[in-house]
Amino acid sequence: MIKELKLVNFRNFKEKIINNFEIENFIIWENWKWKTNILEALSQLWNNSITKLNLDDLVNLWEDYFFIEIKDENDNKYSFYYSKKDNKKNYLINNKKSTKKEFREFAHSCVIFSPIMMNMIYLSPTLRRDFLDDTLKSSYHEYEKLLKDYKKIIKSRNSTLKAIHENKIKENEIIFWDKKFIEIAWEIYKYRFKFIKFLEESIINTKEYFGNKVENITFEYKTKIDRNDIENSIKFYLEKNFKRDIILGRTHIWPHVDDFEIKTDWVSLIHYASRWETKSIIIYLKLLEGIFIEKKTGKKPILIIDDLLSELDENHKDMLLKKINYYQTFISNIYEQENTFYIKI
Ligand SMILES: Nc1ncnc2c1ncn2[C@@H]1O[C@H](COP(=O)(O)OP(=O)(O)OP(=O)(O)O)[C@@H](O)[C@H]1O
Ligand SMILES: [Mg+2]
């Protein structure tokens, strides 16, 4: 559990210490008062980001580095230092330089709840795929590197396609990249399907949030890949799309064109859900993210809830607050709740 947070040159903060954290922490402040900045600092330490900004933008405008440090209940210190000048990141444990891997043993993962995540239901499939990939990154250390390598291979395959199109090289040059692509896409799918299977099995529990209104809820992963024969189905689509891929210079079959949808009584929630249904399902998906991470890492993630409570009606607020008291939680809010612990800044 974290007891204290120290910020130096982070966003608006020149130097700030916030301490005496409990299990559930409400960061209370009026509007436009740096609550998100505090939660962003926590999410950065936990290898995530609420704002998805570059690290450079998180450095105070008049400085060239930031430093974030937390103290756990045994007074161990975990610090993250970033320098804008040379793009350097340093991780420290008890003031000694450590590797990112050692650092992640403690600050391993966080689950972020924010109003933006509603777009996961309303907007593009990219956000839905990010949800799957972010959960997998938090659950398996090796997944982040796998995704990076995968993107590099896609880039190389696409450049090879373009070179073939411009008659600079022969068609059979693609064989090397196809093989590499199949190997890595297969690895990615192996991880993806673990989380998908968990979601398919667990989504039915959302029924409690819909009262007696629905009979059935299903999670459906939309892919052309055959789960029982991943390798051959990727191969099949690569061959089938080869001519089109050459003309367009892009790879058309890959884990990053997949999507998912959630159906209640066989009606798709993506695009059709009411605001109420969207909030319910999203809160539950994020809770499932936390449960999956805990199952796979054996460690509890922290929960970071930014600006969401003011979006929720009493019913949803209750639903969320009842479920989360099992994790250490940081919630920004402009209003005080009853019987809760506050961090007033
Ligand atoms: N790099 C930076 N350097 C200095 N100040 C910054 C930097 N980045 C952001 N800020 C300041 O932080 C402010 C935003 O703070 P933040 O988003 O945390 O507010 P908030 O309390 O979450 O507000 P709301 O209740 O509206 O969500 C900006 O108005 C800006 O003044
Ligand atoms: Mg905010």
Side-chain angles (χ1 to χ4, degrees), residues 201-246:
E201 288 166 2
S202 322
I203 201 80
I204 190 70
N205 301 325
T206 33
K207 258 173 81 165
E208 66 174 296
Y209 288 172
F210 288 92
N212 295 323
K213 289 201 324 197
V214 293
E215 277 286 307
N216 216 326
I217 301 183
T218 50
F219 179 94
E220 291 173 23
Y221 188 59
K222 300 205 283 191
T223 182
K224 286 186 169 152
I225 299 302
D226 175 0
R227 235 186 262 202
N228 299 314
D229 193 3
I230 301 174
E231 200 178 333
N232 279 322
S233 46
I234 302 173
K235 215 185 258 171
F236 172 78
Y237 279 104
L238 281 186
E239 282 167 16
K240 193 177 159 213
N241 290 329
F242 183 51
K243 294 284 172 213
R244 183 168 71 145
D245 282 0
I246 290 179

Side-chain angles (χ1 to χ4, degrees), residues 35-36 306-307 332:
K35 300 179 293 295
T36 301
D306 190 28
D307 278 341
S332 73

Side-chain angles (χ1 to χ4, degrees), residues 119-125 128 222 259 261-262 268-274 278:
N119 294 339
M120 199 161 100
I121 294 291
Y122 294 126
L123 298 180
S124 78
R128 295 190 280 279
K222 300 205 283 191
D259 194 4
E261 69 174 332
I262 296 160
S268 168
L269 280 188
I270 311 278
H271 307 306
Y272 293 103
S274 72
T278 306

Side-chain angles (χ1 to χ4, degrees), residues 45 222 276 307-308 338:
L45 265 175
K222 300 205 283 191
W276 193 89
D307 278 341
L308 187 68
E338 265 177 74

Side-chain angles (χ1 to χ4, degrees), residues 110-111 131 135 195 284-293:
C110 64
V111 178
F131 165 69
T135 309
F195 187 37
Y284 203 81
L285 278 181
K286 295 301 280 186
L287 288 170
L288 287 179
E289 174 182 341
I291 295 168
F292 185 80
I293 292 170

